[in-house]
Amino acid sequence: MKFSRQTTLRAQATVAGVGVHSGLPVTLTLGPAPIDAGFIFVRTGLEGSDREVQATADQVIATDLATVLGDRNGPLVSTAEHVLAALRGMGVDNATIELDGPEVPIMDGSAAAFVAAIDQAGIVTQSAQRRFIQVLKPVSVKIGDSFGEIRPYANGFRAEVEIDFTNPVIGQQSYAFDLNPERFRREVGRARTFGLMCDVARLWSAGYALGASFDNTIVFDEERLLNTEGLRYADECARHKVLDVIGDLALAGLPLLGAYRSVRGGHKLNHAVLTALLADRTAWRVVEGEAVRRTTRPVGEVGRGIVGGRIAAAYGPDVS
């Protein structure tokens, strides 16, 4: 298998649902994008013309309960993290994400519907080398009792998440995950968002969770899980936090070569660590990935270089 070239979608694929916070119906279409385009959201249905926003960290304008992207004229796309996680998790480098509403549809609360859309569209390789952001030294952020750190890692991208809820049904959970498409599909992509019944009234009064239901959210009270279908994984809450990490860190603009650890974190912490990393130009470099070969150690130059396949191998194969 090869891991050297960038990928995009072969065709378009569409999903439709409601926004978990807005409650509004929305149709989302994934489609191809050129080399080095990254992930581009296209908002349609606006007065005047369509508006585009690049899925990068500097376009994040809010991280309360979801990751919101926008421009100087205001917010454009809310709850971007699940579709971004699906694209990054499945090894897609370049894609357009067109939607006719203000929020990515929540679907079943996981990334499964977006993975299915990617499967429907198909993935094709492009002629350019895949580029990565390689972490060169640890960068950490502390916010209250939350802690996040990204550090060098020789085997692709790794997420290590620890959660600690006073709710006794959730409690303490942890999950560690080395990213590759098949593991993403099997272990993380189906993990659903979750919430507490005691928070519902407060969220509604603040204008959040207006589209939440047992069909798209795992809900707990102080004694039990309220969804009749039960959990998909015993540690589904921690796995969903890993899903969020992958989506939030996709806003680096390129796949990351590094290990990210989150303790009691969320979208705000993920964004803070990514912003801190990108702000320190001594902490990272851009490298290019070659086909898996006999190289057993990474080599490269700051700003541009080559990474042996043992690093790049955590990402998607050449599927042309």
Side-chain angles (χ1 to χ4, degrees):
M1 293 193 301
K2 297 179 180 179
F3 302 86
S4 58
R5 290 190 286 161
Q6 294 181 35
T7 64
T8 190
L9 299 176
R10 186 185 303 274
Q12 291 185 329
T14 297
V15 300
V18 300
V20 69
H21 293 303
S22 67
L24 297 174
V26 58
T27 298
L28 180 148
T29 300
L30 297 175
I35 289 167
D36 292 334
F39 304 137
I40 304 169
F41 283 94
V42 182
R43 270 295 310 276
T44 65
L46 300 168
E47 291 185 8
S49 60
D50 298 343
R51 288 162 62 189
E52 294 185 359
V53 60
Q54 193 79 26
T56 54
D58 58 353
Q59 300 300 318
V60 174
I61 63 172
T63 53
D64 296 325
L65 299 178
T67 296
V68 183
L69 305 176
D71 57 22
R72 60 187 176 185
N73 294 315
L76 283 173
V77 179
S78 178
T79 320
E81 57 272 11
H82 297 172
V83 68
L84 291 176
L87 289 164
R88 179 67 74 222
M90 295 303 293
V92 178
D93 295 292
N94 305 304
T96 58
I97 309 158
E98 181 180 302
L99 65 166
D100 62 2
E103 187 177 13
V104 171
I106 190 62
M107 308 312 290
D108 71 347
S110 76
F114 304 119
V115 170
I118 292 167
D119 288 342
Q120 177 186 339
I123 301 175
V124 293
T125 54
Q126 298 171 291
S127 60
Q129 290 282 306
R130 176 174 279 155
R131 297 183 300 146
F132 300 83
I133 291 176
Q134 182 183 26
V135 179
L136 300 177
K137 69 179 186 182
V139 173
S140 62
V141 172
K142 193 173 189 301
I143 303 175
D145 63 354
S146 299
F147 173 81
E149 178 186 56
I150 192 162
R151 64 184 189 273
Y153 186 62
N155 296 303
F157 178 74
R158 179 177 175 85
E160 302 164 355
V161 166
E162 301 172 34
I163 62 174
D164 185 3
F165 281 78
T166 56
N167 178 283
V169 188
I170 302 175
Q172 295 180 332
Q173 298 179 21
S174 63
Y175 196 74
F177 177 78
D178 285 86
L179 179 62
N180 69 57
E182 286 312 309
R183 286 197 66 190
F184 179 85
R185 182 195 301 274
R186 184 175 64 250
E187 300 178 26
V188 171
R190 296 180 63 251
R192 296 163 294 175
T193 193
F194 61 95
L196 304 176
M197 182 58 73
C198 63
D199 291 334
V200 169
R202 176 180 59 83
L203 292 172
W204 283 349
S205 65
Y208 293 108
L210 302 179
S213 72
F214 289 121
D215 293 327
N216 58 42
T217 305
I218 306 169
V219 184
F220 300 89
D221 66 13
E222 292 298 314
E223 297 180 351
R224 60 194 173 98
L225 170 71
L226 300 180
N227 303 65
T228 56
E229 70 174 272
L231 294 172
R232 293 175 178 175
Y233 314 92
D235 52 1
E236 189 167 358
C237 295
R239 293 186 190 222
H240 185 79
K241 287 289 189 177
V242 170
L243 175 68
D244 283 344
V245 162
I246 294 168
D248 287 340
L249 297 191
L251 295 167
L254 296 172
L256 287 166
L257 300 176
Y260 177 72
R261 180 176 176 234
S262 166
V263 180
R264 303 184 189 91
H267 301 298
K268 181 177 294 187
L269 180 70
N270 299 340
H271 180 62
V273 174
L274 179 59
T275 300
L277 171 71
L278 297 178
D280 185 349
R281 279 301 283 113
T282 69
W284 58 276
R285 60 182 173 183
V286 175
V287 294
E288 290 184 352
E290 287 191 325
V292 173
R293 57 195 178 103
R294 290 187 298 272
T295 304
T296 58
R297 64 182 181 86
V299 295
E301 297 177 0
V302 173
R304 184 173 177 85
I306 300 296
V307 177
R310 288 180 180 251
I311 290 181
Y315 293 86
D318 186 324
V319 292
S320 60

